[in-house]
Structure formats: C-alpha cells, structure tokens
C-alpha cells in the first residue's frame, strides 16, 4: 500500500489481525509475522503473542518453510527453553524436507545468527544441504550465507572451496551493478591475484552505476583485500561522497573505517565524514550506535573534540554492555593522547568519563547473574583498560558463577581465559571436570577451544591425564571431518602439552591432507593463512624432535629460510650490551655468539660452549653473524658454523632472555610454548639457561 509504518491504516490492520491471531492458519501466521518485522514490530507484545502460539503449536508444524520463517520472526523474543525446542523441531524437519530447497536451511542459519548461538550439529546439517545446492545458488544467496557463517564464526573448508568455484563460474554473467557487487564482496577476498585484478577492473567500469549501498559494500571489500588500486578507490569515494546524505549513522561509520584503513588520502572527504559522524553521535540514543560512532570518530585526527560528543557518550554509558564500555575506553585513550593539554595533565572531562566507565563496568559485573550473558559480553574484550580496571572483578564474577559452568559454555570460557592470558586454577579445574564428565555432549571441533588454556598456559589440573585422554578419544573418530586448518591448530596445541596422538599426526602429515590444507589456505584470510602455516611448521618440528619413531620428514627448511630472510634481524641495543658483557665474563667476544640459528630453525639469543671443566671455549672463527647498525647480517654459513664439532665432554649452552609474553599475566607461571622451546633445545644438545 506504500504507506509509512505509523500510518493509521497500518495500525488498524495490525489491530484487526491481533483480534483474529489465534485463529490464523500457521501459513498465514508466518506471513503475518514477516509483515510485522517489516514494520519494525519484532519486539512488540503482538510478536510476543505469536511466539506464544508457536510454542503451543510447535509439534504440529510440519512445513520447514513455515517453521523457519516463524523462527526468524520471533528470534529476538525466544527463551532458552523455546530456543532449544525450535532447534530440535528444525533439526527434525530438515531431514524430511526436499533437499533441493535451500531457503529453509539458510533461514535456520539466520535464526542462529540472530540469537548468537552457534549450534554446531544443526549448522553442519544446514551446511550439508547448502553444499548440495551450490550449483543453484546465485551470488546474492552465497553472499548472504557467507555473511551469516562469518557472524557465527563457522568455517567449513568444503563449502568455501565449492563457493569459490561457483563464484568464479558466475564472473562472466555478473555484469549488472547488483549481481556484480554481491559477487565482488564474496569472491574478492578468496580469489587469486589474477581474478582479483579482473574484478577490480570490472568494478572500475561499473563504479558510476553503483548506488549508495553498493559503493559501501565495494569499499569494505577493498579494505578487506587491502587494495591499492587508486583509480578504483577514487571512483568509489566519489560515488560515496555524492550519496553521503542517504547513509544511516552506522553506514557512515563503516564507510569512514573502510576508507581510513585503506589509507585513502582525501582530507576534504574525511572532514565531511567527521562532521557527519559527530552530528549523528550527538543525536543518537542507541548505545550500540553511540559506541560505534565514538570508536570510528576516535580514528580520525581531530584538533578539538566537541563537548556535545563527550556529553552524549557520558549519557549512554550506563546502558552499555562490557564490550561497548571497553570500546569507548579505547576512544577516550586516543582523545586523551591527542588533546593539546595532555602534556600538562589529563583534562577533567576525560577523567570524569573514565571514572563513569570504571563504575559502570564494576556494577555490571557485580550485578550479573547469568554466565552465558557475561561470556557473550566478554567475547571480544581486550586492551589496557580491561586489564587494569576490570580483569580482577571479572575473575571474581566468573568464580561466583562457577556452578553455571556446563558443557555448552566450557569452550567459550576456556577461550576467554586463553585470550586474556590469565591462569585461574579453580575455573580451570571446573572446566576440566565438566569436560571429562560431558565430553560426549561437547562437539568434537570444540575440543580445541576446551584444551587450549591447559596447553597454552601450561596448567595441569588434578585430572590432566584423563582430560587429554577423553578429548583425544572424542576427536579421533571425527578426524576426517575437521576443517584442515583447525586440525593443524589442535595438533599443535597438543604438541605444546607434549602430547602426540599417532593417528592425528599421521593424518596431518599424509599427502592427501596436506593437499586439502593447501587448497583451503587459498580461501582463508591472510592472517589465519599465515598463522596456520606457522603452526604446521612448528608441529612438523615438534614431531621430528620428539617423535622420531613416526618417521615424519622435516619439509619446512625452505619455508624457514624465507621467513628468516623476511625478518628484520634486528638486535636491540640491550642485546648488543649483553653480548659485550658475556664476552667480558667468558674471556672474549669470540667465546659467545648472538642470535644463533639451530637445526630446525630455533634462534638462540646467546650461545657459548663450555669444556668438561666448565671453562668457555672460543669458536673456531669469529661469529658468522655480523651486526651492523643493529641489524643482523645472516651469513649463509651461520647454521653450519654454529654446529662446530664439540670436543669430548664439552657442552653447548643456550642463554634465553624471556619477556612478559612467556608468562601468564597474573603470575610468574611460565607458558607452554616457552617450556616446549626449552624441551626442544635440550633434545638438540643444549644446556638451556632461561633468564
């Protein structure tokens, strides 16, 4: 009817429907629920009535389309009990529906995204159906599904590989602005360099035809792939600039962030964006919106911050969750540093705001009563403010809720403890006991997160052996269904804990697996790609040193040489000073070497050789590692020279200086990787001294 949601006609229709709602057939109810969502009434009492009807009649819903449509509509109102009932019913109906219908599983994934609940078995079932339908999916549907997967942090190698192939097939037929934009956003981040350049060339030709939303989507994709195509950036920026008046507050924030991270140079445009952001922020009443606008505004250089901005932030912080408070703390820290008066003292307006943040954070933790909600708010928290102001209160809160730790939240809690680098025996003992008791309920892929704090933070609970045994038994039957990169990360985590399940090691170092891993790495973001490659090398090294009986070859020599060449090779002034001091103590600079590369490419801070009477021996020739202006010049013979034959009874000594990264944040407890390194150097024949 083309009327506004507040029009009296719409209000009358809604009222009439409300009177009849108990008599609606389920098909009509699902359509009406969509209409209410379109009118932004998803939180209304009427939608609550629909949720009640769905709850009462759930067992009689036999159509997957009707159920999944209703699930999305009522998603913001479901209780944990209704959530589980809906998931169970959807799981049943997905087995009975036509497998060629991909909209129903897509809506189930959307429901899980809406309620922020990554239910792995149901996600995997939906993924299987979607995987079968990829030849029928267009770029728009693929783009939607990939966005939902990303929100749920659900990665599936087979899906990404199939999607990459399908999108590549669609390149030639995606010539209109709508379909091309969807294709560009989905394909560019995982495409080869050649295909990516072709996509950028097409985007340049179509740029003037893009609407405001399409230009925003392309800008964010260019930021994701770190494009340096200045012609395309200029085109997209000009489209954005002429559409600035149509963007919503969060969209302006997304545009500003993308262009800023692309290091796009256009002072005039950034001035406009800053003014628009500040105006939006001073009028906004939504905490999430104020938080995002504040964060992005703090990225931009600003000679003087408007008092209205500080006032608005101050007005909403009491309604913010922990993650929002943490984000605002980052912004305040930047504003304080950039304020001209900062050199003399911190301006009182910032001090008052920080005090309010601290008070709100503590109150939120002290009044929290549901562990799952606290973990959701802590999911992405990091930084100085949290570590200095809230981490202790957070640990008190988590221990207060220890009886709420169960198999559903164990992986999330374990990940949090690992991420903040905080060892807490009572919580970790509880995680271990729950995992041992309910290991069959924990999804096999979640064993990685569950074990992570124990290996990374080097903590053995009273039932350590049983914990590792049950987790290995849980994953072993499912080894072939793991995403390749996740299996590598899991195996490395176990290796840090000196645990090498033979079946797992043999799977990873099989030709078939390594081929599949290579294919998957091409579709992963650069950071995850590099991290996985590094972990595979470290796992390869650990297996060669600690499990020679497995006869796994060392095949990372070239990789390590390339990494070594890319490294800065910088020796700090402190290291140079220590080198000189050790030389004086040991009787000459030629009695000690700095930054020695061992077999399997560990770098030893300082190395010396002691004879059987523990007297230092000079090296046969001066160190092949020449230091010039703080730079290490890696000689090609440095590895060979560092392995001079030892006289009988002599021993090689490695001196390592450990920084704070080698220890847990809240204690002097050494972490697993530092111990593994010591273990490996001892296998290589070193006596290791850690300082």
């Amino acid at each position: 009817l083309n009327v506004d949601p507040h029009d009296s006609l719409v209000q009358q229709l809604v009222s009439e429907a409300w009177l009849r709602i108990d008599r609606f057939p389920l098909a009509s109810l699902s359509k009406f629920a969509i209409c209410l969502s379109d009118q932004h009434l998803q939180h209304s009492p009427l939608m609550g009535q629909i949720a009640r009807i769905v709850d009462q009649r759930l067992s009689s819903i036999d159509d997957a389309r009707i159920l999944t449509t209703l699930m999305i509509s009522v998603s913001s109102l479901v209780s944990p009990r209704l959530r589980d009932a809906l998931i169970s019913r959807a799981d049943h109906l997905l087995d009975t529906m036509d497998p060629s219908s991909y909209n129903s599983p897509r809506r189930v994934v959307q429901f899980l995204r809406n309620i922020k609940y990554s239910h792995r078995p149901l996600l995997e079932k939906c993924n299987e159906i979607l995987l079968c339908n990829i030849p029928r999916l267009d770029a728009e549907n693929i783009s939607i599904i990939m966005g939902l997967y990303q929100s749920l942090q659900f990665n599936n190698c087979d899906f990404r590989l199939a999607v990459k192939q399908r999108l590549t097939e669609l390149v030639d037929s995606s010539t209109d602005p709508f379909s091309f934009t969807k294709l560009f956003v989905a394909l560019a981040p995982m495409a080869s360099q050649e295909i990516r350049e072709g996509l950028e060339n097409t985007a340049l030709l179509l740029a003037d035809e893009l609407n405001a939303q399409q230009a925003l989507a392309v800008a964010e994709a260019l930021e994701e792939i770190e494009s340096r195509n200045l012609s395309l950036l200029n085109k997209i920026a000009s489209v954005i600039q002429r559409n600035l008046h149509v963007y919503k507050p969060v969209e302006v924030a997304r545009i500003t962030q993308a262009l800023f991270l692309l290091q796009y140079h256009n002072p005039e445009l950034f001035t406009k964006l800053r003014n628009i952001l500040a105006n939006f922020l001073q009028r906004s009443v939504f905490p999430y919106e104020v938080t995002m606008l504040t964060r992005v505004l703090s990225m931009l250089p600003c000679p003087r911050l408007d008092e209205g901005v500080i006032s608005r932030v101050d007005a909403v912080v009491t309604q913010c969750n922990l993650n929002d408070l943490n984000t605002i703390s980052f912004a305040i820290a930047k504003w304080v540093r950039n304020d001209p008066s900062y050199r003399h003292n911190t301006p009182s307006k910032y001090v008052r705001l920080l005090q309010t943040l601290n008070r709100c954070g503590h109150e939120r933790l002290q009044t929290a009563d549901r562990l799952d909600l606290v973990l959701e708010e802590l999911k992405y928290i990091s930084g100085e403010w949290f570590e200095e102001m809230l981490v202790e209160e957070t640990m008190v809160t988590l221990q207060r809720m220890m009886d709420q730790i169960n198999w559903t939240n164990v992986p999330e809690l374990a990940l949090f403890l690992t991420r903040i680098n905080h060892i807490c025996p009572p919580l970790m003992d509880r995680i271990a006991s729950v995992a041992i008791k309910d290991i069959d309920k924990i999804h096999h892929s979640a064993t990685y997160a569950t074990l992570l704090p124990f290996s990374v933070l080097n903590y053995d609970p009273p039932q350590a052996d049983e914990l590792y045994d049950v987790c290995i038994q849980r994953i072993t039957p499912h080894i072939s269904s793991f995403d390749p990169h996740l299996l590598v990360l899991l195996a490395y985590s176990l290796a840090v804990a000196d645990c090498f399940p033979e079946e797992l090691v043999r799977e990873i170092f099989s030709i078939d697996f390594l081929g599949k891993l290579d294919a998957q790495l091409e579709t992963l973001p650069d950071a995850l790609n590099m991290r996985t490659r590094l972990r595979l090398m470290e796992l390869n090294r650990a297996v060669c040193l600690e499990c020679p009986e497995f006869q796994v070859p060392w095949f990372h020599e070239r990789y390590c040489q390339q990494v070594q060449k890319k490294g800065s090779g910088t020796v700090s002034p402190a290291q140079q000073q220590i080198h000189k001091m050790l030389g004086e103590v040991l009787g000459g600079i030629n009695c000690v070497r700095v930054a020695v590369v061992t077999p399997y490419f560990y770098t030893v801070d300082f190395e010396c050789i002691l004879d059987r009477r523990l007297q230092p021996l000079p090296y046969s020739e001066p160190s092949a590692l020449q230091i010039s202006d703080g730079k290490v010049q890696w000689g090609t013979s440095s590895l060979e020279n560092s392995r001079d034959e030892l006289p009988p009874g002599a021993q090689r000594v490695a001196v390592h200086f450990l920084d704070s990264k080698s220890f847990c944040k809240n204690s002097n407890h050494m972490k697993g990787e530092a111990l593994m390194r010591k273990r490996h150097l001892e296998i290589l024949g070193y006596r290791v001294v850690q300082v």
Side-chain angles (χ1 to χ4, degrees), residues 11-21 24:
Q11 294 175 1
Q12 186 65 31
L13 286 169
V14 169
S15 299
E16 292 295 330
W18 200 329
L19 296 172
R20 299 164 173 77
I21 197 161
F24 275 13

Side-chain angles (χ1 to χ4, degrees), residues 590 593 609 617-623 640-642 644-645:
N590 64 332
R593 280 181 166 164
I609 298 173
L617 292 174
Y619 284 89
S620 57
E621 57 183 82
S623 174
E640 290 78 4
N641 288 348
S642 70
D644 290 337
E645 285 296 319

